[in-house]
Short mmCIF file of all heavy atoms in Angstrom, two decimals:
data_model
loop_
_atom_site.label_atom_id
_atom_site.label_comp_id
_atom_site.label_asym_id
_atom_site.label_seq_id
_atom_site.Cartn_x
_atom_site.Cartn_y
_atom_site.Cartn_z
N VAL A 427 87.85 95.56 89.49
CA VAL A 427 88.61 94.31 89.45
C VAL A 427 87.84 93.30 88.61
O VAL A 427 86.68 92.99 88.91
CB VAL A 427 88.85 93.74 90.86
CG1 VAL A 427 89.48 92.35 90.77
CG2 VAL A 427 89.74 94.67 91.67
N LYS A 428 88.50 92.80 87.53
CA LYS A 428 87.94 91.74 86.70
C LYS A 428 88.78 90.49 86.89
O LYS A 428 90.00 90.57 87.04
CB LYS A 428 87.95 92.15 85.22
CG LYS A 428 87.03 93.31 84.89
CD LYS A 428 87.05 93.59 83.39
CE LYS A 428 86.13 94.75 83.04
NZ LYS A 428 86.15 95.05 81.59
N ARG A 429 88.12 89.36 86.89
CA ARG A 429 88.85 88.09 87.06
C ARG A 429 89.90 87.95 85.96
O ARG A 429 89.63 88.15 84.77
CB ARG A 429 87.88 86.91 87.00
CG ARG A 429 86.89 86.87 88.15
CD ARG A 429 86.12 85.56 88.18
NE ARG A 429 85.01 85.61 89.13
CZ ARG A 429 85.13 85.41 90.43
NH1 ARG A 429 86.33 85.15 90.94
NH2 ARG A 429 84.07 85.47 91.23
N GLY A 430 91.12 87.60 86.38
CA GLY A 430 92.19 87.37 85.43
C GLY A 430 92.84 88.62 84.89
O GLY A 430 93.73 88.53 84.02
N GLN A 431 92.42 89.79 85.38
CA GLN A 431 93.01 91.04 84.90
C GLN A 431 93.52 91.86 86.09
O GLN A 431 93.13 91.64 87.22
CB GLN A 431 91.99 91.86 84.10
CG GLN A 431 91.45 91.15 82.86
CD GLN A 431 90.52 92.03 82.05
OE1 GLN A 431 90.60 93.25 82.09
NE2 GLN A 431 89.62 91.38 81.31
N ARG A 432 94.37 92.84 85.78
CA ARG A 432 94.92 93.66 86.85
C ARG A 432 93.87 94.65 87.35
O ARG A 432 92.94 95.03 86.63
CB ARG A 432 96.17 94.41 86.37
CG ARG A 432 95.90 95.46 85.31
CD ARG A 432 97.19 96.14 84.89
NE ARG A 432 96.95 97.18 83.90
CZ ARG A 432 96.60 98.41 84.20
NH1 ARG A 432 96.44 98.77 85.46
NH2 ARG A 432 96.41 99.31 83.25
N LYS A 433 94.05 95.07 88.57
CA LYS A 433 93.14 96.03 89.19
C LYS A 433 93.31 97.40 88.55
O LYS A 433 94.43 97.85 88.29
CB LYS A 433 93.42 96.09 90.70
CG LYS A 433 92.63 97.11 91.46
CD LYS A 433 92.63 96.83 92.95
CE LYS A 433 94.00 96.51 93.49
NZ LYS A 433 93.95 96.11 94.90
N ILE A 434 92.20 98.08 88.28
CA ILE A 434 92.22 99.43 87.72
C ILE A 434 91.71 100.41 88.78
O ILE A 434 90.59 100.28 89.27
CB ILE A 434 91.35 99.52 86.45
CG1 ILE A 434 91.90 98.59 85.37
CG2 ILE A 434 91.32 100.97 85.93
CD1 ILE A 434 91.05 98.53 84.13
N PHE A 435 92.55 101.37 89.11
CA PHE A 435 92.22 102.34 90.14
C PHE A 435 92.33 103.73 89.53
O PHE A 435 93.36 104.08 88.94
CB PHE A 435 93.21 102.21 91.32
CG PHE A 435 92.59 102.42 92.66
CD1 PHE A 435 92.00 101.38 93.35
CD2 PHE A 435 92.57 103.69 93.24
CE1 PHE A 435 91.43 101.57 94.58
CE2 PHE A 435 92.00 103.89 94.48
CZ PHE A 435 91.43 102.82 95.16
N ARG A 436 91.27 104.53 89.64
CA ARG A 436 91.24 105.84 89.01
C ARG A 436 90.90 106.95 90.01
O ARG A 436 90.09 106.74 90.90
CB ARG A 436 90.22 105.88 87.87
CG ARG A 436 90.58 105.04 86.65
CD ARG A 436 89.62 105.30 85.51
NE ARG A 436 90.00 104.59 84.30
CZ ARG A 436 89.49 103.44 83.93
NH1 ARG A 436 88.59 102.83 84.69
NH2 ARG A 436 89.88 102.87 82.81
N ARG A 437 91.54 108.09 89.80
CA ARG A 437 91.22 109.31 90.54
C ARG A 437 90.75 110.35 89.52
O ARG A 437 91.51 110.74 88.64
CB ARG A 437 92.44 109.82 91.30
CG ARG A 437 92.22 111.15 92.00
CD ARG A 437 93.52 111.66 92.60
NE ARG A 437 93.31 112.95 93.26
CZ ARG A 437 94.32 113.71 93.73
NH1 ARG A 437 95.59 113.29 93.63
NH2 ARG A 437 94.05 114.87 94.30
N ASN A 438 89.49 110.76 89.66
CA ASN A 438 88.91 111.72 88.73
C ASN A 438 89.11 111.27 87.27
O ASN A 438 89.57 112.04 86.42
CB ASN A 438 89.49 113.12 88.96
CG ASN A 438 89.21 113.62 90.36
OD1 ASN A 438 88.16 113.36 90.93
ND2 ASN A 438 90.16 114.34 90.94
N LYS A 439 88.81 110.00 87.03
CA LYS A 439 88.82 109.36 85.71
C LYS A 439 90.23 109.10 85.17
O LYS A 439 90.36 108.55 84.08
CB LYS A 439 88.01 110.17 84.68
CG LYS A 439 86.55 110.32 85.05
CD LYS A 439 85.79 111.07 83.97
CE LYS A 439 84.31 111.21 84.35
NZ LYS A 439 83.56 111.94 83.31
N LYS A 440 91.29 109.47 85.90
CA LYS A 440 92.65 109.23 85.46
C LYS A 440 93.23 108.03 86.20
O LYS A 440 93.26 108.03 87.43
CB LYS A 440 93.52 110.46 85.68
CG LYS A 440 94.95 110.30 85.18
CD LYS A 440 95.77 111.56 85.40
CE LYS A 440 97.19 111.37 84.90
NZ LYS A 440 98.02 112.60 85.12
N GLU A 441 93.70 107.04 85.47
CA GLU A 441 94.21 105.82 86.10
C GLU A 441 95.59 106.05 86.71
O GLU A 441 96.45 106.72 86.12
CB GLU A 441 94.30 104.70 85.07
CG GLU A 441 94.73 103.36 85.65
CD GLU A 441 94.74 102.25 84.63
OE1 GLU A 441 94.23 102.46 83.50
OE2 GLU A 441 95.27 101.16 84.96
N TYR A 442 95.78 105.50 87.89
CA TYR A 442 97.09 105.56 88.54
C TYR A 442 98.07 104.63 87.81
O TYR A 442 97.72 103.51 87.44
CB TYR A 442 97.01 105.10 90.00
CG TYR A 442 96.44 106.12 90.95
CD1 TYR A 442 95.13 106.01 91.43
CD2 TYR A 442 97.21 107.18 91.42
CE1 TYR A 442 94.61 106.93 92.32
CE2 TYR A 442 96.70 108.10 92.32
CZ TYR A 442 95.40 107.98 92.77
OH TYR A 442 94.89 108.89 93.67
N GLU A 443 99.32 105.10 87.66
CA GLU A 443 100.36 104.23 87.14
C GLU A 443 100.82 103.25 88.22
O GLU A 443 101.08 102.08 87.94
CB GLU A 443 101.55 105.06 86.65
CG GLU A 443 101.23 105.90 85.41
CD GLU A 443 102.46 106.63 84.91
OE1 GLU A 443 103.57 106.38 85.43
OE2 GLU A 443 102.31 107.45 83.98
N LYS A 444 100.91 103.74 89.46
CA LYS A 444 101.26 102.92 90.61
C LYS A 444 100.22 103.13 91.70
O LYS A 444 99.87 104.27 92.01
CB LYS A 444 102.64 103.29 91.15
CG LYS A 444 103.79 103.08 90.18
CD LYS A 444 105.10 103.51 90.82
CE LYS A 444 106.27 103.32 89.87
NZ LYS A 444 107.56 103.78 90.50
N LEU A 445 99.74 102.04 92.29
CA LEU A 445 98.74 102.16 93.35
C LEU A 445 99.30 102.90 94.56
O LEU A 445 98.56 103.56 95.28
CB LEU A 445 98.25 100.77 93.76
CG LEU A 445 97.49 99.97 92.70
CD1 LEU A 445 97.06 98.62 93.26
CD2 LEU A 445 96.29 100.73 92.19
N SER A 446 100.62 102.81 94.77
CA SER A 446 101.22 103.49 95.92
C SER A 446 101.05 105.00 95.85
O SER A 446 101.12 105.69 96.87
CB SER A 446 102.72 103.14 96.01
OG SER A 446 103.41 103.55 94.84
N GLU A 447 100.81 105.54 94.64
CA GLU A 447 100.61 106.98 94.49
C GLU A 447 99.33 107.45 95.20
O GLU A 447 99.19 108.62 95.53
CB GLU A 447 100.53 107.36 93.01
CG GLU A 447 101.81 107.10 92.24
CD GLU A 447 101.64 107.32 90.75
OE1 GLU A 447 100.51 107.66 90.34
OE2 GLU A 447 102.61 107.16 90.00
N HIS A 448 98.41 106.54 95.42
CA HIS A 448 97.12 106.89 96.03
C HIS A 448 97.17 106.90 97.56
O HIS A 448 96.37 107.59 98.21
CB HIS A 448 96.05 105.88 95.57
CG HIS A 448 94.68 106.15 96.10
ND1 HIS A 448 93.92 107.24 95.73
CD2 HIS A 448 93.91 105.46 97.00
CE1 HIS A 448 92.76 107.22 96.37
NE2 HIS A 448 92.73 106.14 97.13
N ILE A 449 98.10 106.13 98.13
CA ILE A 449 98.15 105.98 99.58
C ILE A 449 98.44 107.33 100.24
O ILE A 449 99.38 108.01 99.90
CB ILE A 449 99.23 104.96 99.99
CG1 ILE A 449 99.00 103.62 99.28
CG2 ILE A 449 99.23 104.78 101.51
CD1 ILE A 449 97.64 103.01 99.51
N GLY A 450 97.59 107.67 101.21
CA GLY A 450 97.74 108.93 101.93
C GLY A 450 96.81 110.02 101.45
O GLY A 450 96.62 111.01 102.16
N LEU A 451 96.24 109.86 100.25
CA LEU A 451 95.32 110.89 99.76
C LEU A 451 94.06 110.94 100.60
O LEU A 451 93.58 112.03 100.95
CB LEU A 451 94.94 110.60 98.30
CG LEU A 451 93.90 111.56 97.69
CD1 LEU A 451 94.51 112.95 97.49
CD2 LEU A 451 93.37 111.01 96.37
N LEU A 452 93.51 109.76 100.93
CA LEU A 452 92.27 109.66 101.69
C LEU A 452 92.55 108.85 102.96
O LEU A 452 92.22 107.68 103.05
CB LEU A 452 91.18 108.97 100.86
CG LEU A 452 90.88 109.62 99.50
CD1 LEU A 452 89.97 108.73 98.68
CD2 LEU A 452 90.25 111.00 99.69
N PRO A 453 93.18 109.46 103.95
CA PRO A 453 93.55 108.71 105.16
C PRO A 453 92.33 108.17 105.88
O PRO A 453 91.28 108.83 105.95
CB PRO A 453 94.29 109.75 106.01
CG PRO A 453 93.76 111.06 105.53
CD PRO A 453 93.51 110.88 104.07
N SER A 454 92.46 106.98 106.41
CA SER A 454 91.36 106.38 107.16
C SER A 454 91.90 105.46 108.23
O SER A 454 93.03 104.98 108.15
CB SER A 454 90.42 105.61 106.22
OG SER A 454 91.07 104.49 105.67
N VAL A 455 91.06 105.22 109.23
CA VAL A 455 91.41 104.33 110.35
C VAL A 455 90.26 103.35 110.53
O VAL A 455 89.10 103.75 110.63
CB VAL A 455 91.63 105.14 111.65
CG1 VAL A 455 91.88 104.20 112.82
CG2 VAL A 455 92.79 106.12 111.48
N MET A 456 90.59 102.07 110.57
CA MET A 456 89.60 101.01 110.69
C MET A 456 89.80 100.26 111.99
O MET A 456 90.93 99.91 112.35
CB MET A 456 89.75 100.04 109.51
CG MET A 456 88.73 98.93 109.46
SD MET A 456 87.26 99.39 108.55
CE MET A 456 86.85 97.84 107.76
N VAL A 457 88.69 100.00 112.71
CA VAL A 457 88.73 99.20 113.93
C VAL A 457 87.74 98.06 113.78
O VAL A 457 86.56 98.29 113.52
CB VAL A 457 88.36 100.04 115.18
CG1 VAL A 457 88.60 99.23 116.45
CG2 VAL A 457 89.15 101.35 115.23
#
């Protein structure tokens, strides 16, 4: 994340077109 720019999220060096594509790949639970 850079100030003033969009967030860049990558899986194995390939950028996601939509962040929603990543949800569910690495399930986690936070308390």
Side-chain angles (χ1 to χ4, degrees):
V427 172
K428 294 183 180 180
R429 295 190 190 278
Q431 299 184 26
R432 67 180 181 85
K433 176 162 46 186
I434 298 175
F435 217 87
R436 292 188 175 96
R437 175 186 179 189
N438 299 325
K439 299 183 180 180
K440 183 179 180 181
E441 184 177 350
Y442 283 104
E443 292 184 8
K444 298 179 180 179
L445 295 180
S446 60
E447 296 173 359
H448 181 68
I449 305 303
L451 176 70
L452 304 170
S454 67
V455 176
M456 183 89 144
V457 188

